[in-house]
Amino acid sequence: MPQLLTIGQVAERTGVATSALRFYEERGLIASERNGGGHRRYPRPVIRRVAFILFAQRVGLTLEQIGEELARLPAGRTPRREDWAALSAGWRARVDEQIAQLERLRDSLTDCIGCGCLSLDRCALVNPEDRLGREGSGARRL
Ligand code: FES
């Protein structure tokens, strides 16, 4: 495999659409060089970088957060396996918290099943964990 990949080759290897790859590049998450014809060419390690982006998105990180994580990679050399492992080391706690939030949501939705009122006062779908109540009295929406 060549050391520099076309955007089509990266798309084929990662399963990510070329439009998404261009978007990642616009957001600074991946970088390419331009060949003589002005076409993008990506260094091979971009494949692992894209895999990391997909993984991080599944864990719930925003693209901005992913950019912050990627900025922690060592500069000046190709990241090694342990560099990637270090980035995701704290994600277990993040996933656990997401599971706990979903469990709380599931438990609070009992009243909503078959209801449809979408009441600002009592509906956990509209007002999860009484967030509106903490913002003060009076109308907060509508
Ligand atoms: S829809 Fe009625 S309580 Fe949520």
Side-chain angles (χ1 to χ4, degrees), residues 109-131:
L109 287 183
T110 306
D111 291 341
C112 294
I113 306 297
C115 174
C117 73
L118 297 177
S119 162
L120 289 173
D121 293 330
R122 57 182 287 263
C123 178
L125 266 179
V126 177
N127 188 7
E129 300 176 8
D130 197 23
R131 181 168 41 79

Side-chain angles (χ1 to χ4, degrees), residues 1 5-18 21 47 50:
M1 168 154 274
L5 308 174
T6 66
I7 192 168
Q9 289 170 319
V10 176
E12 187 178 301
R13 289 291 304 270
T14 61
V16 174
T18 55
L21 293 171
I47 292 172
V50 171

Side-chain angles (χ1 to χ4, degrees), residues 35-73:
N35 69 1
H39 299 293
R40 290 176 166 88
R41 293 291 182 268
Y42 295 91
R44 283 201 53 175
V46 77
I47 292 172
R48 186 160 285 189
R49 205 170 167 95
V50 171
F52 176 84
I53 294 168
L54 296 175
F55 184 31
Q57 285 181 308
R58 292 203 68 187
V59 173
L61 273 72
T62 64
L63 290 181
E64 185 178 0
Q65 290 170 326
I66 294 170
E68 290 167 4
E69 292 286 317
L70 289 171
R72 294 171 48 211
L73 286 171

Side-chain angles (χ1 to χ4, degrees), residues 104 120 127-138 140:
R104 286 195 295 275
L120 289 173
N127 188 7
E129 300 176 8
D130 197 23
R131 181 168 41 79
L132 295 174
R134 288 198 306 274
E135 291 175 6
S137 59
R140 288 280 170 269

